[in-house]
Amino acid sequence: MKENIRKLVKQPLLLILVVLIMLTLIIFIAFPMFQIFLSSFLSNGEINWQGYERVFAGGQLTSALTNSLVLAIIVSILSTAIAYFFAYTFAYIEVPFKKIFNGIAILPVISPPFVIALSAILLFGRGGFISETLLGIENANIYGLHGLILVQTLTYFPVAFLVLAGLLRSISPSLEEASDNLGSTKWQTFKKVTLPLSVPGIGNAFLLVFIQSMADFGNPMTIGGDYNTVAREIYMQAVGSYNMQAGAALAMVLLTVTVILYAVQKFWVGKKSYVTVTGKPTSARKMVSKGVFRRIMIGICYGLSATVILFYILVPIGSFIQLWGVNYSFTLDHYSYVFSIGQKAVVDTLQLSIIATPIGGLFAMILAFLIVRKRFAGKKLMEGISMLSIAIPGTVIGISYILAFNQAPLAITGTALIIIAAFIVRAMPVGIRSGITSLQQIDPSIEEAATNLGASGSKTFFSIVLPLIRPAFFSSLVYTFVKSMTAMSAVIFLVSARYNLITASILAQVESGRIGVASAYCTLLIILMIAAMLVLNGLTALFTGKWKLRKDKQTGAEIISKDAANADSVNAA
Amino acid sequence: MSAKSVKLENVTKQFTDDEGKVMTAVKEVSLHIEKGEFATLLGPSGCGKTTTLRMIAGFEELSNGAIMFGEDNVQNIPANKRDCTMVFQSYALFPHMSVYENICYGLKLKKLSKSEIEKRVTPIMDIMNLHVNKNRMPNQLSGGQQQRVALARALVMEPGVLLFDEPLSNLDAKLRITMRDEIRRIQKELGITAIYVTHDQSEAMSLSDRIVVMNEGRIEQVGPPMEIYQKPKTKFVSDFIGTANFLGGVVDKKDSDRLFVKTKQTTIEVLQKDADTFHEGQSVSVVVRPEAINLSKEGTESAKVLKSVFMGQIQEYELDFNGIQLYAVVADPGGKEVYYDGDSVNLTFSQRSLHVVPA
Ligand SMILES: Nc1ncnc2c1ncn2[C@@H]1O[C@H](COP(=O)(O)OP(=O)(O)OP(=O)(O)O)[C@@H](O)[C@H]1O
Ligand SMILES: [Mg+2]
């Protein structure tokens, strides 16, 4: 400890950096969390339990809570089941155009949070294409629990797929061969070997989806109808009825649930994974290449993939249609709205995201570097806070920021700073994770060699460390950009007349029934996201061509989706 | 290039683990390495060699004591400002830079002009035979070539002190010998002070002016290779360097330069320069190197051959000497009488090769 302090004093730059990062983490994560905690016990300056009483007394807040839990359980079960089906097909069966699955898996990471909800309205809503035009149902109602289940399952099963596909791939085929060899039928082998071995992965996937569903804000706002959920209720309490105490209490409950689930999930990954014990895949698995079974599996997977893709392309189509359900003629009106009256939101969002991107990317890399490589007083705390940030739902960030930053000394409500901070805090966990992972693969003596040859701490970081973790850095940059552009749950609390955001505008358009304009905004976002991913792929290919750090060549998109699946449990909300 | 002497005074390093348990990796090490000297830290795994080297390089803080380069205490000089460069066990080449860029890295940081850099790099690349690989990336080089780049990168800085942490342990046996000779040649040629860490005694023997034998964080003995081998100060050193038989006993009588050690078997007379550091009645061990044992058929038959193995250059014997097992080696067995399992032989010691250490 004494030596650590002495070390810090001797490297003033490191000291400054540690202090700065620590302050940032405390101001933008720890302090706001403390503020919600405090506010949940405070009404008009008095300490009391009224907030929590309201959460658990059986009224509107209680039903929001139970609703969220019911929804999360259903969606997690469905998503995990579908994902397992996909993952099994992916790992065991020869499928033409398998890459499609990977593509679908990235969609929820990069797409705006309510694309599927919008499509669902276009298909099944009042005047929906399927509900009314095809089936002739008038006043079809997609809003509510059933709509949410549909939308969330389609949105989140790819996350579960990534987890399960990775797991099934790592099961050593020799285990299954051994079982076959002992005379088991394929079904018995599945039941006795494959399935038990996938239990940790299934649990893991289930929990990840559960957390995301609990924390989801965009879908319930768009398609929830009368079915109230926690994230939405927090927003209503805070922004609608200015009952900060009730909002804070509900946020505390939500936070507690996600933190606990996240801890359980961590524990599960860490302790329960038998798969890693059995070692590397020794031989390639023999894929099922013919038979009826294969054809059925492929058929179902293709069908589901087509459905997901349909949901995603419907929105761009909808953006060119005059009035969905009534007048299907082609129009550019929605875009001209977006680029005239709605332009401010686009410009603001782009501006703020572009500012947040380099700061967020670099911040994550530096933090990862400090955690992996440096020893200093307070490191445990730094690690703890950045770990915690993974588990904080966006809505909780949102309400905590209004509570924390609306009075001196940190009165930054309404400024660009608060929005940028929210962007960065939301995207940071993924960057930190991938930074940590890639730093752990680099021999620390490479950095020592640089120091030894005369490089200062910052010189070592910029000339050696950052180039070596470039893939992680790029993916962190793009992830920050993508997440900032599509952020809603946290920043919806923070938008003001001065700064409007695309996602907030979309929500407003949906609420006033102007689905066309919402679709146009969404399409624009999707195009920007695709552009960002392409830039990432280009950068990664350009800079990793010369030397390979990751053994298997990965595209930037694959890196980002993997990093996201590992680290991002609540961010999609 | 101005080589510097290195002085360690009472250097101690303690590590505290996460649970607050303290372990002492280096204990009160004092050592003076002369300008231009090649010193090797030798010892078993975990004895604190790397830690010592890293403290000299500035990567680890001292818990106690001081390190001086020449006359200057380096306590407050950070690692990147210390006048020493290091060759790492893993080479630690920058994977994203070419061979040339790797070698220039330190010079560029010194803000030398392009032509100056060129002027310093060229002769080093000549010595190291690296010109053809100039533009390759490290992962396109063989282990030996990577090793050369690592060495060139450290040498080009013209450091006051050059540090090596087991630089050859990743190479195959043959290359290890070639590189070891090369390192020694260059070090002599340039007159650099070198501190070299290894746990391979033949490496230490062939490279060093002096060997520092370490054990459990302490220095056991410092001296030239021959002295370390022939005149070990402790049982640990005699056992760790080369092979040794031990005959336990007590000092029976002593002279200014002679000890008479009474063992269970016989009383052995040993020529020992530092005889006065022992006192009569002290328990000691006589170190008997395998080559110090002579066997013959004449005289009394005091030992029995348990096992006899022909190895080409040598004949190996396992002997029973009044209940003690001894290991003996006879060089050039072709011209000598060879004994076989079960033979009884007369065993004598070459008196000049014997040595006494405290038990
Ligand atoms: N950073 C550290 N934290 C805690 N203990 C350490 C640290 N570095 C070294 N040690 C401990 O200090 C002791 C000496 O380690 P050191 O690396 O100096 O050994 P060594 O002589 O170089 O061994 P080897 O020949 O195996 O490289 C070991 O017991 C090691 O576990
Ligand atoms: Mg070592």
Side-chain angles (χ1 to χ4, degrees):
Chain A
M1 188 70 177
K2 221 170 46 197
E3 276 163 43
N4 286 345
I5 291 172
R6 228 193 301 157
K7 223 183 214 165
L8 270 184
V9 174
K10 227 196 248 180
Q11 296 167 273
L13 200 83
L14 181 64
L15 179 68
I16 294 170
L17 202 62
V18 167
V19 170
L20 269 180
I21 289 191
M22 203 67 147
L23 269 179
T24 315
L25 290 177
I26 288 174
I27 292 175
F28 290 110
I29 299 176
F31 172 63
M33 290 309 116
F34 177 70
Q35 280 294 324
I36 329 185
F37 176 75
L38 215 61
S39 306
S40 70
F41 290 104
L42 277 181
S43 59
N44 305 322
E46 263 178 62
I47 295 177
N48 59 47
W49 287 92
Q50 279 171 22
Y52 292 98
E53 271 163 23
R54 284 199 52 199
V55 173
F56 295 109
Q60 194 182 336
L61 276 71
T62 317
S63 73
L65 191 59
T66 48
N67 281 352
S68 273
L69 288 170
V70 169
L71 175 66
I73 289 170
I74 298 173
V75 170
S76 311
I77 293 173
L78 285 175
S79 301
T80 310
I82 296 174
Y84 195 82
F85 195 85
F86 260 80
Y88 189 87
T89 309
F90 194 74
Y92 288 83
I93 294 173
E94 242 181 59
V95 183
F97 311 114
K98 221 175 226 182
K99 281 245 142 94
I100 295 176
F101 292 1
N102 273 332
I104 288 174
I106 309 170
L107 282 174
V109 181
I110 61 166
S111 74
F114 29 57
V115 174
I116 294 203
L118 267 186
S119 312
I121 295 174
L122 294 177
L123 282 177
F124 302 110
R126 241 151 280 158
F129 185 71
I130 292 180
S131 50
E132 194 176 293
T133 315
L134 293 184
L135 302 178
I137 304 166
E138 272 176 43
N139 286 329
N141 192 357
I142 182 70
Y143 303 91
L145 178 62
H146 56 293
L148 276 173
I149 292 173
L150 172 75
V151 165
Q152 283 197 345
T153 304
L154 286 177
T155 311
Y156 297 136
F157 90 85
V159 177
F161 165 74
L162 281 176
V163 173
L164 290 167
L167 178 115
L168 287 177
R169 214 175 319 141
S170 65
I171 291 180
S172 171
S174 50
L175 289 177
E176 289 148 353
E177 279 162 17
S179 165
D180 290 347
N181 198 255
L182 294 170
S184 306
T185 63
K186 288 273 175 217
W187 171 243
Q188 281 170 327
T189 299
F190 174 76
K191 225 171 52 178
K192 291 268 157 62
V193 179
T194 315
L195 197 58
L197 282 174
S198 6
V199 166
I202 291 174
N204 194 357
F206 181 90
L207 287 171
L208 280 181
V209 175
F210 195 100
I211 295 170
Q212 298 213 7
S213 165
M214 275 294 281
D216 187 15
F217 176 77
N219 292 316
M221 284 303 278
T222 325
I223 209 170
D226 295 334
Y227 198 77
N228 199 9
T229 62
V230 173
R232 200 170 111 181
E233 187 59 32
I234 293 172
Y235 177 68
M236 290 309 183
Q237 290 296 331
V239 176
S241 48
Y242 294 106
N243 189 332
M244 284 303 179
Q245 190 190 16
L250 195 55
M252 277 308 291
V253 173
L254 175 61
L255 180 64
T256 312
V257 172
T258 53
V259 168
I260 289 173
L261 290 181
Y262 188 75
V264 171
Q265 184 252 345
K266 269 261 107 111
F267 176 78
W268 213 313
V269 178
K271 304 275 147 75
K272 272 234 156 170
S273 180
Y274 323 108
V275 175
T276 48
V277 181
T278 64
K280 291 176 260 170
T282 40
S283 57
R285 181 176 279 132
K286 251 181 77 193
M287 297 291 208
V288 178
S289 60
K290 50 180 180 286
V292 186
F293 170 69
R294 167 174 175 261
R295 257 177 265 148
I296 294 172
M297 296 288 276
I298 292 181
I300 297 174
C301 284
Y302 275 177
L304 266 168
S305 303
T307 312
V308 173
I309 292 170
L310 172 72
F311 269 79
Y312 277 93
I313 58 173
L314 211 59
V315 168
I317 295 173
S319 71
F320 291 107
I321 284 180
Q322 194 77 45
L323 187 56
W324 194 272
V326 179
N327 177 0
Y328 281 107
S329 58
F330 177 86
T331 179
L332 288 174
D333 285 359
H334 307 313
Y335 285 96
S336 62
Y337 178 90
V338 165
F339 288 111
S340 57
I341 305 169
Q343 194 196 8
K344 180 170 164 42
V346 177
V347 173
D348 285 355
T349 310
L350 263 173
Q351 243 173 21
L352 296 175
S353 301
I354 288 172
I355 297 172
T357 298
I359 303 175
L362 209 55
F363 188 81
M365 291 307 112
I366 293 175
L367 197 53
F369 176 68
L370 292 179
I371 287 175
V372 178
R373 287 289 199 262
K374 297 289 173 186
R375 278 152 63 197
F376 50 88
K379 180 173 155 176
K380 278 265 141 67
L381 184 66
M382 189 182 278
E383 248 185 300
I385 299 179
S386 37
M387 283 290 285
L388 176 70
S389 69
I390 299 178
I392 307 176
T395 339
V396 176
I397 294 273
I399 187 174
S400 72
Y401 274 29
I402 352 183
L403 289 169
F405 301 122
N406 63 355
Q407 64 214 10
L410 293 165
I412 53 171
T413 309
T415 65
L417 179 62
I418 194 171
I419 296 177
I420 292 169
F423 283 170
I424 292 174
V425 167
R426 297 285 293 146
M428 190 179 71
V430 171
I432 296 175
R433 258 255 77 81
S434 58
I436 287 179
T437 316
S438 58
L439 273 169
Q440 280 167 342
Q441 293 166 0
I442 295 170
D443 179 2
S445 47
I446 292 177
E447 289 143 47
E448 285 176 349
T451 308
N452 185 250
L453 292 168
S456 63
S458 59
K459 184 78 195 172
T460 305
F461 183 80
F462 285 105
S463 72
I464 306 293
V465 178
L466 207 52
L468 290 184
I469 59 172
R470 242 172 205 150
F473 181 47
F474 289 149
S475 88
S476 166
L477 284 178
V478 174
Y479 190 81
T480 311
F481 181 75
V482 166
K483 275 296 147 192
S484 302
M485 291 293 291
T486 60
M488 172 152 81
S489 52
V491 288
I492 193 85
F493 292 81
L494 310 172
V495 289
S496 58
R498 259 198 288 168
Y499 295 99
N500 199 3
L501 296 176
I502 297 180
T503 47
S505 309
I506 295 177
L507 201 60
Q509 298 296 333
V510 171
E511 275 169 354
S512 54
R514 300 171 56 160
I515 304 295
V517 176
S519 301
Y521 269 125
C522 250
T523 309
L524 185 63
L525 267 182
I526 293 173
I527 291 169
L528 288 170
M529 297 304 97
I530 292 172
M533 296 306 282
L534 288 178
V535 169
L536 169 74
N537 274 344
L539 283 175
T540 318
L542 195 67
F543 284 110
T544 47
K546 274 212 276 187
W547 88 100
K548 275 189 278 174
L549 279 177
R550 303 204 184 208
K551 275 200 204 83
D552 47 338
K553 261 204 182 149
Q554 295 184 91
T555 64
E558 277 165 328
I559 295 171
I560 216 178
S561 63
K562 276 196 192 118
D563 292 341
N566 287 336
D568 169 43
S569 40
V570 266
N571 275 30
Chain B
M1 185 175 304
S2 61
K4 284 185 176 157
S5 66
V6 177
K7 216 187 298 176
L8 276 68
E9 283 167 6
N10 265 319
V11 170
T12 297
K13 176 68 189 178
Q14 294 179 319
F15 289 110
T16 316
D17 65 13
D18 290 341
E19 288 133 42
K21 258 200 284 175
V22 175
M23 79 84 59
T24 310
V26 175
K27 290 173 202 152
E28 293 166 3
V29 163
S30 294
L31 180 65
H32 188 134
I33 295 157
E34 302 287 346
K35 222 193 260 189
E37 188 181 11
F38 199 116
T40 301
L41 306 183
L42 177 65
S45 186
C47 71
K49 307 176 297 276
T50 299
T51 308
T52 308
L53 203 69
R54 289 171 60 81
M55 285 190 284
I56 298 173
F59 294 138
E60 301 283 356
E61 289 283 324
L62 278 64
S63 305
N64 208 349
I67 294 176
M68 331 270 280
F69 283 11
E71 293 308 308
D72 312 318
N73 189 330
V74 292
Q75 158 108 38
N76 290 317
I77 304 179
N80 60 329
K81 301 257 166 65
R82 286 198 190 178
D83 189 12
C84 62
T85 53
M86 183 152 163
V87 180
F88 291 83
Q89 179 169 15
S90 56
Y91 315 141
L93 299 179
F94 308 129
H96 58 303
M97 296 183 190
S98 69
V99 167
Y100 189 77
E101 287 168 326
N102 261 281
I103 299 175
C104 298
Y105 184 81
L107 297 177
K108 275 195 193 139
L109 289 175
K110 279 191 169 174
K111 303 252 154 56
L112 295 188
S113 72
K114 254 212 162 112
S115 62
E116 270 176 290
I117 291 180
E118 188 77 43
K119 221 170 31 196
R120 270 168 77 166
V121 172
T122 312
I124 297 279
M125 303 241 299
D126 283 340
I127 298 178
M128 290 302 190
N129 224 337
L130 281 170
H131 281 293
V132 268
N133 300 314
K134 200 172 153 177
N135 296 317
R136 294 228 206 140
M137 301 306 278
N139 63 2
Q140 300 170 315
L141 300 178
S142 72
Q145 288 165 335
Q146 290 184 29
Q147 173 64 63
R148 275 170 228 263
V149 178
L151 188 55
R153 188 177 68 178
L155 279 173
V156 81
M157 300 301 290
E158 305 184 351
V161 184
L162 191 54
L163 307 173
F164 297 88
D165 190 1
E166 308 206 20
L168 304 181
S169 60
N170 289 333
L171 300 179
D172 64 53
K174 239 190 185 143
L175 199 54
R176 213 175 315 174
I177 293 173
T178 322
M179 279 308 293
R180 149 180 120 186
D181 296 344
E182 209 155 320
I183 288 175
R184 180 58 165 159
R185 180 175 60 79
I186 292 164
Q187 182 266 338
K188 269 194 174 148
E189 209 171 287
L190 304 177
I192 313 167
T193 311
I195 306 177
Y196 191 102
V197 162
T198 182
H199 60 248
D200 177 337
Q201 41 167 308
S202 62
E203 217 168 281
M205 293 276 184
S206 59
L207 279 167
S208 327
D209 294 316
R210 278 194 304 161
I211 294 176
V212 181
V213 184
M214 293 182 69
N215 184 31
E216 293 181 351
R218 290 183 194 281
I219 293 185
E220 291 269 337
Q221 188 171 355
V222 184
M226 199 187 268
E227 186 182 307
I228 298 275
Y229 185 78
Q230 289 176 345
K231 310 247 174 311
K233 283 216 177 85
T234 62
K235 212 170 164 179
F236 173 83
V237 175
S238 39
D239 199 23
F240 187 72
I241 311 285
T243 330
N245 298 292
F246 294 105
L247 293 174
V250 291
V251 177
D252 193 33
K253 243 182 352 180
K254 69 171 202 175
D255 245 322
S256 61
D257 60 353
R258 253 185 324 176
L259 290 171
F260 295 87
V261 179
K262 199 170 153 195
T263 67
K264 218 173 74 189
Q265 294 77 19
T266 49
T267 296
I268 305 172
E269 181 188 345
V270 183
L271 294 173
Q272 183 105 356
K273 282 246 166 59
D274 59 349
D276 34 302
T277 58
F278 294 88
H279 57 85
E280 279 169 22
Q282 181 179 356
S283 336
V284 292
S285 288
V286 181
V287 180
V288 184
R289 296 290 182 195
E291 65 274 17
I293 295 175
N294 307 310
L295 304 176
S296 67
K297 275 285 183 192
E298 286 118 52
T300 50
E301 292 175 344
S302 49
K304 204 166 172 185
V305 177
L306 298 174
K307 202 166 139 198
S308 172
V309 182
F310 176 65
M311 304 281 287
Q313 292 177 333
I314 55 165
Q315 185 82 23
E316 277 186 348
Y317 293 103
E318 249 174 55
L319 304 157
D320 177 57
F321 180 57
N322 294 333
I324 291 201
Q325 267 203 28
L326 295 179
Y327 169 71
V329 165
V330 175
D332 189 20
K336 290 174 189 157
E337 178 143 13
V338 172
Y339 308 97
Y340 297 99
D341 300 12
D343 285 0
S344 288
V345 289
N346 177 20
L347 185 151
T348 53
F349 301 117
S350 308
Q351 201 192 26
R352 298 163 58 93
S353 305
L354 296 180
H355 189 76
V356 176
V357 295

